Amino acid sequence: MTSIIACPQHPSSTLVNISSDADLRLIRILASHIDSNSSATFESSCSNAITNGDATTLLRTILSEPKAIGELITNNEYTVEEATGIFSLFGALLERVDNPEAQRELCGGLASLVAATNGTEDVTSREKRSGMLASLFNLRSNGVEKIRLLTKIVDMADATTLASTGIMGEGVSSLSDMLEPSTMEASLAVWGDISEEEKRGLFRAVVKGMDRLLNKLADAKSDAAKAKSVKDVEDRKQAYLLLILGTYKDESSVDNEALTYAQQASIGVINNPIDLFSSQHRLLHLPAVQALQKSPSTSPLYDLLKLLHGGKLQDYRDFTSMPDKSGVFTNFSLDEAECTKNMSLLSLVSLAGEHEEIPYSAIASTLDISEDQVEKWVILGVSSGLMEAKMDQLSKVVIVERCVVRQFGRKEWEALKVRLDKWKVNVRGVLDALKSASEN
């Protein structure tokens, strides 16, 4: 199972030494962090639990003194590797707790204590907190525990950590690499039965993390590298918005938060329907997105999304001419000119899906342009990756080699049947000709 590093790597701590007296040494360290009036009682209670082999009582006693662990974070005498190394011993203690429910409760208590500890929040303090939670994440195998720990790690991660990529060692990945959507979905499948609410909490944390990263990138110098980084982050955010919406399985589960995420995801697709072409098809079938059409304030957004899914340029122009629809661009901060351009490209793709050869005049009529602009639009369509075509400039015909299908219903099945029947006739003709030639 892949482990993660949620902060820059540090050397292994010499304190992580599971020897026969490791528990007692751990307790002495923790006892030194609390008030002298309480330390003796604390150490005695912990020692008794160790003697009795009662890991549950030992951990509960430790959690009853927040400062015992909090000092690992706030005290600058501990390096990141030392604090992380000491805290990793709690993972070994959790393994000795017999009751799975108690394990989950105690793991959550440790994580919450680390996440809630207020320090100076300098780089070292953040690294300690992230490293401590990452060590616990790597030691635990229960899926519910892992997703809760990962959610806290993402919540605490700064923009640098969220942006860092690359393999840190065999079986160890950066947090950013683990949050790659397909990797995350594969991990969730391995972790087993996890509720939609738990998944939603993690996905929500990632979306907020991507917003933090976008805010940081906004202050960076504009260049090609920044543009690529912004696009990568926006694409990841969009992917996680879709994952969030996927956790709302039916109409009854859709709440105001779901509608907010549905708006964000819809705006993301409308702003970039070419790159997010495959996302459009999934989006329209999600209950939270379908719920947008029921509110007068969001129904124009849903209608525009539906047009980008399967409408033509004329349908789009009819839509924008309606007084109750045209305000969608202002209300949701959409670029109308960019929407019109994208709608034109998608209309060209629809035309390419209906005909193998398209006269320049047909394209000019569909896009409402002059014939001398046709080749520019065909080049745009090919460069988008949505179609492959060649232009016969003498005959003024575009020969379509391949194109994506914007929607596939009964009409498209019938068209496919016609093409297959034609192909069968052509193949039969070739076979008959070969047979005739061999007989002669």
Side-chain angles (χ1 to χ4, degrees), residues 81-133:
E81 61 268 20
E82 287 173 339
T84 302
I86 294 170
F87 192 78
S88 67
L89 292 174
F90 293 121
L93 287 175
L94 280 170
E95 289 297 324
R96 301 182 213 165
V97 176
D98 295 330
N99 188 309
E101 287 300 320
Q103 280 191 359
R104 188 176 301 177
E105 175 201 339
L106 292 166
C107 180
L110 289 167
S112 295
L113 197 155
V114 171
T117 299
N118 294 319
T120 59
E121 280 310 296
D122 55 14
V123 173
T124 301
S125 177
R126 286 198 302 271
E127 286 186 7
K128 284 181 181 179
R129 296 169 71 196
S130 296
M132 290 161 81
L133 289 183

Side-chain angles (χ1 to χ4, degrees), residues 120-390:
T120 59
E121 280 310 296
D122 55 14
V123 173
T124 301
S125 177
R126 286 198 302 271
E127 286 186 7
K128 284 181 181 179
R129 296 169 71 196
S130 296
M132 290 161 81
L133 289 183
S135 70
L136 197 55
F137 172 90
N138 295 334
L139 289 166
R140 303 305 296 155
S141 59
N142 180 275
V144 174
E145 291 178 24
K146 291 185 82 70
I147 196 170
R148 290 176 181 175
L149 287 165
L150 186 56
T151 300
K152 290 185 183 298
I153 291 169
V154 175
D155 276 334
M156 292 193 307
D158 60 12
T160 301
T161 301
L162 290 167
S164 299
T165 60
I167 301 300
M168 306 298 183
E170 186 176 355
V172 181
S173 298
S174 70
L175 177 61
S176 177
D177 288 334
M178 186 167 193
L179 294 179
E180 196 281 321
S182 61
T183 301
M184 189 71 262
E185 289 186 276
S187 296
L188 289 171
V190 171
W191 294 347
D193 188 20
I194 299 173
S195 71
E196 299 301 328
E197 289 75 16
E198 296 281 4
K199 293 178 185 178
R200 191 181 306 147
L202 172 59
F203 301 155
R204 185 191 299 117
V206 177
V207 168
K208 290 179 179 177
M210 294 304 102
D211 283 335
R212 294 198 298 275
L213 192 45
L214 287 171
N215 288 337
K216 181 180 179 181
L217 287 170
D219 297 329
K221 179 181 178 181
S222 296
D223 54 21
K226 174 184 175 179
K228 182 181 182 305
S229 295
V230 169
K231 182 181 182 305
D232 290 344
V233 175
E234 288 178 340
D235 287 350
R236 178 166 292 191
K237 177 182 176 180
Q238 182 70 18
Y240 272 91
L241 284 171
L242 290 175
L243 289 174
I244 288 175
L245 295 175
T247 65
Y248 296 95
K249 299 300 184 182
D250 51 52
E251 185 179 345
S252 63
S253 66
V254 175
D255 53 17
N256 288 334
E257 183 183 53
L259 293 174
T260 298
Y261 286 125
Q263 288 182 46
Q264 290 184 41
S266 299
I267 291 169
V269 169
I270 291 169
N271 282 332
N272 193 9
I274 308 303
D275 287 350
L276 300 175
F277 187 80
S278 60
S279 302
Q280 299 178 54
H281 300 272
R282 271 207 300 156
L283 198 62
L284 279 170
H285 300 295
L286 296 172
V289 174
Q290 292 178 339
L292 294 176
Q293 62 186 311
K294 296 183 178 182
S295 169
S297 62
T298 55
S299 62
L301 184 69
Y302 178 85
D303 292 340
L304 180 56
L305 181 67
K306 197 170 181 180
L307 279 173
L308 286 162
H309 171 65
K312 301 286 184 69
L313 183 59
Q314 187 56 53
D315 301 322
Y316 169 80
R317 286 184 170 156
D318 292 342
F319 170 86
T320 58
S321 66
M322 299 177 188
D324 60 330
K325 304 291 186 182
S326 57
V328 67
F329 301 103
T330 301
N331 294 340
F332 295 99
S333 302
L334 299 169
D335 186 333
E336 185 171 0
E338 192 67 17
C339 283
T340 303
K341 173 188 171 183
N342 290 328
M343 196 70 237
S344 297
L345 270 177
L346 292 170
S347 295
L348 175 59
V349 170
S350 290
L351 193 62
E354 297 167 357
H355 307 281
E356 294 181 2
E357 293 188 0
I358 316 171
Y360 278 26
S361 58
I363 296 175
S365 175
T366 298
L367 303 188
D368 194 19
I369 56 175
S370 59
E371 285 194 19
D372 60 359
Q373 293 180 294
V374 166
E375 292 183 2
K376 179 193 79 171
W377 280 98
V378 173
I379 291 171
L380 281 173
V382 171
S383 63
S384 73
L386 298 181
M387 61 183 287
E388 292 178 7
K390 295 179 180 178

